[in-house]
Amino acid sequence: MRMDTVIMGGGLSGLSCGIALAKRGKRVAIVASGQSTMLFNGGSMELLGHIDGKAVSNPLEAIATLPQDHPYSKIGADRIASLAERAKLLLTDSGINMEGNAAANHWRITPMGVAKPAWLTLNDHLRIDDLHHLPAKRLALMCIRGFFDEPNSMLAQGLRDLGFEVDAIEFTTDDITALRRSPSEMRSTSLSKRMMSNAAMQRMADQINQLATDADLVLLPSVLGQNDDSDFQTLQAMTHKPLRLVATLPPAVAGMRMMKQLRHYFKMLGGTYLMGDSAVSGTFDGNRLTSVSTAKLADMPLKADHFVLATGSFISRGLVADYERVYEPVLGVDVDADSDPDRWTRFGILEPQAYSRFGVATDGELRCLKQGQVIENLHAIGSVLSGHDAVKMGDGTGVSMLTALAVNDHIIKG
Amino acid sequence: MAERMQICNLSENNFEQCTKCSICTTVCPVAAVTTDYPGPKQAGPDGERYRLKDPAYYDKALKLCLNCKRCEIACPSGVHIADIIQHARMSASEGRRATLRDTLLANTDLLGTMANLVAPVANTTLGLKPTKWVMHSMMAIDKHRTFPAYSRQKFTTWFKRHAAKDQDAFPNHVSYFHGCYVNYNFPKLGQDLVKLMNAVGYGVHLLDKEQCCGVALIANGLYKQAKRQGRVNIDSIRASVSRDKREVITTSSSCTFNMRDEYPSMLGIDNADVRDSISLATRFIYRLVDEEKIKLIFKQNYKRRLAYHTACHMQRMGWQLYSIELLRMIPGLDLVELEQECCGISGTYGFKKENYERSQAIGSILFKSIEEAQVEAVTTDCETCKWQIEMSTGLPVENPISVLADALDVEATRKANLISD
Ligand code: SF4
Ligand code: SF4
């Protein structure tokens, strides 16, 4: 089967690149094994959150100071602003409504109640632009009885530490109680499926209206809207107070929603999404990759002019470590990783870990290398890239989207 | 040493690879509509730990699993969740007898043979109110269900009378595993396949012996019978592949998935030597087009808007792209690819009274998306999805092979492939 571009990996970076290419009329196939780490996303994108443990307030300025091997530096610090603008547009086109500014981080609230710098946040989720000017004084934090995915007391304490007055209000409805028969399924994704009917939403609104009478803003765990933000709009119309969702522990409804919307948009543009398949090997001809074989298509490999590696980091198996080495399992391209396993990790789970900066090696155009030689038609994007650290720097989603668009430009130019 | 340790740790179903991320549960269509089902994580890897300790931990709710395999596709850690669940059901059912209802539903070919003999009577009888009432209350087959109509003439009868004698004249050859549905309910699909294959120069042949692939037997716990029939099929397929040098094609995604993947994993039937030679017809045809061995020429004035539904087992095989790409070759066909959702029937599952409501609730997301797509018909590779979608949306549902055969300019195609009359 012949395509213009084959993308290995169907997460945020793979889909962003695929959408951009399909929009330019290219024939694109995305090979997506399983679900992506976007399911861990609580509703925000980050460009750059921290440098050396300090919160970044203006990502555009801070990006200019990053070392040469950071993916943003390879793209070129001067291009970040326009790429960020295009990334936001791509999200809007997919039906994902987010707000934010690449030159000024706002704050998102984690399920643990910690404020973290963010670039974009879903419109129906809590966003704080300025910690000195909170968007409300008195919060009603609606706590679902028996719910697994929100550590309510930590969240409430975190919000209080930020300066809010918080009423933590426990509530339930018939729909929620019914779900509790299977206690292990009191998860946000199961709840969001329960809550899809107007009747269920009305029962929830009744509770909120009855219990949260003296709040300026009502917070509800993010258990609404698997498909888009219309469920939130419905509930908001039924409630008397302004309403915002707060992130829950993963798997998160917000991430699930964004993935569905991106996938849907990609398919609408005529893209081919091979769900549940995975790239297993490639055939090279000199310094070009000519085809990629997948587990399911077996002896009918995907041929293309361009290939993009977007297989993610260790958790998605884009990178693999055994006791001796770190490697890229599909194509065997070069990786940037310490050769001494003793230096991969250090004690303390919250310490910066060397392995989180490991990834495939690329040249200035984000092209992969194999035994030191540049593969002309193979680019890498997203978490599989070396030189960044999604956990410590808060640059994961930004790197995914911006490298995807930068590589789209390289491919379109030819 | 290091490598070996990592390998030795693996169990057959990868169950210890589970990281408890619960991603599987987010895609399970059953857990989404009922709290009676604990969901794939709990029913699969979590429950397995208990069951290994003591089989008494077996949870009867496991029979609610559709075996749709969506959980396996979603799992980032490669856990064979649905296989774990099916195996647990299998060991729990040992020594227990299936009910009459389950046996009847499972034996699609037995039911088919009887019904064909008396097709006009059977169709009315199975459709009549009193009959439905008896089935509903005595046999627990849901009264809302309409049995797929039985054809008066079996596909094999038609084939032997009208097509068999012409097949040897073609330059290339394949064997066709038609399955119960084509044989008893809808011979037209088989006829469409013959028409299409003949037009591109392929003679179509029946297998030495074909029996029901057993997908419904497995679902209803009749494992021994499934195994017997599976052996007969694999032997016949082997004869076709090695003796006659003919690949085997099918028009049902469920039969294909069952024979390729469930035979070895569920029934312990070794099919390694022929597995690659069993293919869905759309994959087989796509490959020929892709390798420029054949050409398809379509009618000029063809115009239709259809929605493609990816059956769960089709997605598990990862082959929907062949059907979709072939359909996209038809000029004038406006194809909407639906977001993959389970239709809820899962073979005979939805026929059972206790499952009817759940089955419809599961399918409701799909039915809504079909409605929104504003199409004149739906196309899918699975026959039970067809029944379910036709019953629930009122729209006709066709196999991609029938759509292709209908859109094909047979004369021009024969000419392009240098086939003379
Ligand atoms: S096979 Fe389907 S029904 Fe069964 S647990 Fe997995 S997703 Fe749920
Ligand atoms: S998706 Fe896989 S790893 Fe995650 S809980 Fe389910 S079985 Fe375990």
Side-chain angles (χ1 to χ4, degrees):
Chain A
M1 182 162 296
R2 183 145 206 110
M3 296 282 162
D4 293 326
T5 301
V6 168
I7 299 173
M8 293 158 264
L12 179 62
S13 61
L15 275 166
S16 302
C17 190
I19 287 172
L21 287 165
K23 265 196 122 161
R24 303 290 293 261
K26 300 285 179 196
R27 247 171 81 82
V28 187
I30 293 181
V31 188
S33 58
Q35 296 288 344
S36 92
T37 48
M38 273 298 278
L39 271 183
F40 300 128
N41 188 297
S44 294
M45 304 282 180
E46 328 169 281
L47 264 182
L48 185 62
H50 287 90
I51 289 187
D52 300 329
K54 274 212 293 288
V56 166
S57 59
N58 181 341
L60 292 181
E61 271 173 18
I63 281 169
T65 69
L66 290 172
Q68 274 312 302
D69 64 346
H70 193 283
Y72 286 149
S73 306
K74 291 189 179 177
I75 296 173
D78 53 325
R79 293 189 59 208
I80 300 296
S82 78
L83 287 172
E85 213 33 61
R86 280 166 58 195
K88 192 170 159 189
L89 209 64
L90 185 151
L91 293 167
T92 313
D93 288 346
S94 313
I96 301 170
N97 301 314
M98 297 184 112
E99 246 347 294
N101 179 352
N105 273 334
H106 59 254
W107 302 88
R108 66 180 172 101
I109 305 298
T110 72
M112 303 296 183
V114 180
K116 289 213 169 170
W119 159 44
L120 300 170
T121 292
L122 287 171
N123 285 352
D124 53 3
H125 281 60
L126 178 63
R127 182 183 75 230
I128 303 174
D129 288 329
D130 182 348
L131 289 176
H132 302 293
H133 295 95
L134 296 177
K137 204 166 158 235
R138 239 185 129 71
L139 297 179
L141 177 63
M142 303 303 292
C143 309
I144 300 170
R145 188 172 301 151
F147 186 46
F148 257 41
D149 286 343
E150 200 81 276
N152 290 314
S153 49
M154 288 175 90
L155 176 58
Q157 191 53 51
L159 291 166
R160 282 186 196 113
D161 292 346
L162 290 174
F164 290 105
E165 286 170 36
V166 184
D167 273 333
I169 304 171
E170 193 184 59
F171 80 104
T172 190
T173 67
D174 288 351
D175 315 273
I176 297 168
T177 315
L179 198 61
R180 286 190 73 185
R181 278 180 51 206
S182 179
S184 64
E185 297 315 324
M186 277 298 281
R187 313 293 306 264
S188 37
T189 51
S190 320
L191 269 167
S192 71
K193 286 184 185 159
R194 290 273 128 176
M195 290 299 151
M196 272 174 6
S197 79
N198 273 2
M201 215 97 77
Q202 187 60 58
R203 283 187 280 272
M204 191 185 272
D206 291 345
Q207 285 291 309
I208 296 174
N209 288 336
Q210 200 183 326
L211 297 169
T213 42
D214 44 327
D216 313 325
L217 182 67
V218 179
L219 295 185
L220 186 71
S222 177
V223 296
L224 289 182
Q226 281 214 349
N227 299 321
D228 49 42
D229 53 17
S230 63
D231 288 350
F232 174 84
Q233 307 297 354
T234 310
L235 186 71
Q236 177 66 83
M238 292 170 174
T239 24
H240 308 324
K241 304 266 174 185
L243 202 63
R244 284 290 177 274
L245 302 174
V246 272
T248 67
L249 296 175
V253 175
M256 197 171 180
R257 178 206 296 183
M258 292 192 275
M259 279 306 285
K260 274 192 185 179
Q261 288 177 304
L262 290 169
R263 220 162 44 212
H264 184 76
Y265 187 48
F266 174 67
K267 283 191 192 169
M268 237 179 62
L269 294 169
T272 302
Y273 194 84
L274 299 170
M275 177 73 183
D277 201 353
S278 50
V280 289
S281 65
T283 309
F284 291 88
D285 179 9
N287 53 4
R288 289 184 76 79
L289 178 61
T290 53
S291 71
V292 161
S293 298
T294 78
K296 301 277 170 69
L297 307 184
D299 59 341
M300 292 174 74
L302 293 164
K303 298 181 209 114
D305 299 331
H306 295 275
F307 294 86
V308 180
L309 189 68
T311 41
S313 187
F314 294 100
I315 187 166
S316 316
R317 306 195 167 207
L319 297 172
V320 176
D322 59 22
Y323 290 95
E324 281 138 17
R325 68 194 179 110
V326 171
Y327 60 97
E328 186 286 306
V330 181
L331 304 168
V333 293
D334 299 351
V335 295
D336 290 325
D338 201 313
S339 59
D340 179 1
D342 288 340
R343 288 197 296 257
W344 292 354
T345 53
R346 74 162 94 158
F347 189 74
I349 194 160
L350 297 176
E351 292 296 309
Q353 302 290 344
Y355 74 82
S356 57
R357 302 178 76 102
F358 293 172
V360 304
T362 51
D363 73 351
E365 285 185 21
L366 298 175
R367 288 180 301 190
C368 295
L369 307 160
K370 203 167 156 74
Q371 281 145 7
Q373 219 198 14
V374 173
I375 306 299
E376 278 173 8
N377 63 340
L378 173 63
H379 289 88
I381 58 176
S383 310
V384 77
L385 287 167
S386 68
H388 69 117
D389 185 341
V391 178
K392 284 291 153 194
M393 298 174 75
D395 57 5
T397 36
V399 164
S400 287
M401 292 202 76
L402 270 46
T403 54
L405 293 176
V407 161
N408 162 74
D409 297 350
H410 285 306
I411 290 176
I412 294 289
K413 255 193 300 179
Chain B
M1 171 61 194
E3 294 262 288
R4 287 226 45 83
M5 263 176 60
Q6 287 178 332
I7 292 165
C8 288
N9 269 331
L10 288 184
S11 71
E12 218 172 305
N13 289 319
N14 278 2
F15 94 88
E16 75 295 334
Q17 296 285 314
C18 172
T19 58
K20 311 293 165 208
C21 69
S22 340
I23 284 176
C24 49
T25 301
T26 66
V27 299
C28 174
V30 181
V33 299
T34 176
T35 50
D36 294 341
Y37 186 59
K41 170 172 163 284
Q42 183 111 330
D46 286 5
E48 190 69 4
R49 282 172 206 275
Y50 289 108
R51 291 189 292 266
L52 283 176
K53 227 169 157 188
D54 184 349
Y57 281 113
Y58 175 76
D59 180 353
K60 284 202 188 66
L62 261 58
K63 69 173 188 299
L64 297 184
C65 168
L66 297 164
N67 198 22
C68 69
K69 311 277 184 191
R70 287 166 57 91
C71 49
E72 290 186 2
I73 294 169
C75 173
S77 310
V79 181
H80 301 172
I81 312 160
D83 283 3
I84 296 174
I85 298 171
Q86 293 310 307
H87 275 290
R89 286 178 58 179
M90 204 184 257
S91 15
S93 79
E94 258 160 34
R96 210 174 304 143
R97 282 185 55 144
T99 62
L100 171 64
R101 187 269 319 258
D102 288 3
T103 311
L104 194 66
L105 279 176
N107 278 279
T108 45
D109 50 352
L110 179 72
L111 198 63
T113 315
M114 295 187 331
N116 271 138
L117 293 173
V118 288
V121 188
N123 287 337
T124 23
T125 321
L126 292 172
L128 278 179
K129 276 221 175 100
T131 319
K132 282 196 169 187
W133 183 82
V134 171
M135 292 204 295
H136 185 84
S137 49
M138 315 272 290
M139 305 217 347
I141 292 171
D142 194 89
K143 62 174 180 290
H144 298 91
R145 292 281 166 204
T146 311
F147 267 82
Y150 286 97
S151 158
R152 215 180 270 253
Q153 189 184 43
K154 284 197 295 186
F155 169 72
T156 45
T157 314
W158 170 86
F159 183 83
K160 283 171 193 154
R161 278 193 203 148
H162 302 287
K165 62 179 189 317
D166 308 326
Q167 301 304 315
D168 286 335
F170 290 96
N172 305 299
H173 301 277
V174 283
S175 295
Y176 176 38
F177 183 98
H178 47 71
C180 301
Y181 167 71
V182 163
N183 205 24
Y184 303 110
N185 303 109
F186 202 63
K188 179 174 177 296
L189 173 53
Q191 292 160 6
D192 287 339
L193 180 86
V194 174
K195 169 179 161 186
L196 190 58
M197 295 311 291
N198 285 176
V200 295
Y202 274 75
V204 177
H205 307 267
L206 302 181
L207 291 168
D208 290 355
K209 264 196 192 140
E210 176 182 321
Q211 298 207 328
C212 166
C213 77
V215 68
L217 294 169
I218 298 175
N220 286 287
L222 297 156
Y223 303 108
K224 274 205 195 107
Q225 193 190 343
K227 202 163 177 167
R228 256 196 328 269
Q229 295 184 188
R231 288 229 177 84
V232 172
N233 287 330
I234 290 298
D235 286 346
S236 302
I237 289 170
R238 196 168 282 134
S240 166
V241 173
S242 54
R243 182 193 64 205
D244 307 331
K245 309 286 174 246
R246 290 173 192 155
E247 301 267 300
V248 179
I249 60 174
T250 64
T251 42
S252 154
S253 52
S254 294
C255 299
T256 315
F257 174 69
N258 197 41
M259 293 196 292
R260 284 171 51 97
D261 296 327
E262 303 278 76
Y263 276 11
S265 72
M266 285 295 127
L267 301 177
I269 300 174
D270 182 8
N271 65 0
D273 56 329
V274 292
R275 182 175 180 269
D276 288 345
S277 303
I278 308 170
S279 184
L280 203 64
T282 50
R283 180 175 201 254
F284 187 84
I285 296 168
Y286 183 86
R287 183 205 295 267
L288 295 176
V289 176
D290 194 43
E291 293 174 353
E292 297 180 2
K293 289 187 176 139
I294 62 165
K295 284 196 187 79
L296 297 174
I297 315 278
F298 294 101
K299 291 173 187 160
Q300 295 286 335
N301 45 9
Y302 187 86
K303 218 161 186 59
R304 284 183 96 185
R305 182 173 160 88
L306 302 180
Y308 180 80
H309 161 63
T310 307
C312 292
H313 287 166
M314 190 73 175
Q315 174 165 257
R316 183 73 180 94
M317 289 194 291
W319 287 359
Q320 62 272 28
L321 118 132
Y322 300 117
S323 296
I324 293 171
E325 288 297 315
L326 272 180
L327 290 167
R328 284 198 177 137
M329 288 176 195
I330 305 175
L333 177 65
D334 183 5
L335 191 71
V336 182
E337 189 191 338
L338 301 166
E339 180 77 20
Q340 207 281 331
E341 298 286 354
C342 181
C343 76
I345 186 114
S346 194
T348 56
Y349 181 97
F351 275 86
K352 301 176 183 175
K353 187 164 78 175
E354 69 273 22
N355 294 340
Y356 177 78
E357 269 180 39
R358 196 164 36 245
S359 166
Q360 294 313 104
I362 291 170
S364 61
I365 308 175
L366 175 69
F367 309 148
K368 195 170 154 233
S369 74
I370 291 174
E371 220 164 88
E372 285 166 2
Q374 305 242 337
V375 289
E376 60 198 83
V378 178
T379 171
T380 185
D381 297 88
C382 171
E383 60 271 19
T384 54
C385 296
K386 170 180 154 87
W387 301 337
Q388 172 77 338
I389 297 170
E390 285 184 339
M391 186 199 89
S392 310
T393 66
L395 287 178
V397 179
E398 297 167 32
N399 187 289
I401 290 293
S402 292
V403 177
L404 287 162
D406 181 40
L408 196 73
D409 183 333
V410 177
E411 278 320 302
T413 302
R414 288 176 75 102
K415 237 185 245 148
N417 293 287
L418 310 172
I419 307 299
S420 53
D421 286 308

